[in-house]
Amino acid sequence: MSHNTIDINRTMKRFDSHAKVWLFGYGSLIFKADFPFLERRPAHIAGWTRRFWQGSHDHRGTETAPGRVVTLVPEAGALCHGMAYLVTPEEFAHLDYREKNGYLRLATDIHFEDGGSAEGLVYIATHENAAYLGPASEREIARQIAGARGPSGPNSEYLLELARALRELGKPDEHVFEIERHLVAFHG
């Protein structure tokens, strides 16, 4: 599958007739909401864990030196914490473009930290997309992040902002924090 997923995502019509839809963000969507939203609530989804296994050729790296950004991988019993945004379907065009580097829309149950749940959508980059980099040690991931930069800025900024946002939510993520520790050690 191409890493440009805009056309594939346009075929997902499940929420198009809805007046508003919950969107779950677990990476840059937590700290960079560059779209209008009606409401924002801390939330989690079940059965997924956050991993820096997706390549970024378009935002935090280049074709020749891709950065690494997060995606979700299935893990029984896991909870992935993040932020849910209530948006109108008109925002899908912007979000599909923003998430075009391998991410597909997936319907999921979103559980709000203050109680209740709703069906919504999440963007996930699976191992089947061309930009998928896959597993590596946290140290190797940190080294790649330390050297990557793209049109949206240094890859290290993405990692550090995500770690900060997770701390603000009070939701530690050992994978993210371990990569952050290695990155800080590299920069002294």
Side-chain angles (χ1 to χ4, degrees):
M1 175 177 69
S2 163
H3 59 70
N4 187 333
T5 53
I6 293 173
D7 289 338
I8 296 169
N9 280 322
R10 284 186 184 146
T11 66
M12 185 191 195
K13 305 290 185 195
R14 182 173 190 151
F15 296 106
D16 287 0
S17 63
H18 294 208
K20 47 195 173 185
V21 180
W22 283 101
L23 165 70
F24 180 73
Y26 56 90
S28 62
L29 287 174
I30 299 176
F31 63 84
K32 186 180 178 189
D34 61 350
F35 52 90
F37 55 87
L38 306 169
E39 191 180 339
R40 175 172 66 182
R41 297 169 71 183
H44 67 269
I45 59 175
W48 298 95
T49 192
R50 180 179 8 248
R51 290 290 180 260
F52 269 92
W53 292 359
Q54 176 66 7
S56 178
H57 304 87
D58 59 340
H59 288 297
R60 297 297 181 160
T62 63
E63 286 290 335
T64 55
R68 277 190 181 254
V69 291
V70 291
T71 186
L72 295 178
V73 295
E75 183 179 305
L79 295 180
C80 179
H81 294 274
M83 192 64 72
Y85 299 90
L86 190 59
V87 299
T88 62
E90 290 77 29
E91 298 313 314
F92 293 165
H94 169 73
L95 291 163
D96 288 348
Y97 181 80
R98 177 178 167 155
E99 306 296 330
K100 72 183 186 298
N101 198 42
Y103 291 84
L104 295 174
R105 291 188 216 164
L106 179 75
T108 188
D109 288 326
I110 299 171
H111 305 274
F112 304 109
E113 298 302 324
D114 58 2
S117 65
E119 184 183 52
L121 65 87
V122 62
Y123 285 85
I124 296 177
T126 70
H127 68 279
E128 296 163 339
N129 82 84
Y132 190 78
L133 296 175
S137 74
E138 279 86 359
R139 183 178 174 81
E140 290 170 36
I141 292 171
R143 188 161 306 285
Q144 184 173 354
I145 287 172
R149 178 182 195 84
S152 296
N155 199 179
S156 58
E157 178 184 65
Y158 174 100
L159 167 63
L160 297 172
E161 286 293 314
L162 177 57
R164 181 191 56 74
L166 290 169
R167 282 188 184 93
E168 285 178 5
L169 283 172
K171 301 298 180 185
D173 184 306
E174 194 50 44
H175 175 72
V176 174
F177 292 173
E178 183 66 18
I179 295 168
E180 178 192 38
R181 281 191 286 277
H182 285 296
L183 181 77
V184 170
F186 294 152
H187 290 290

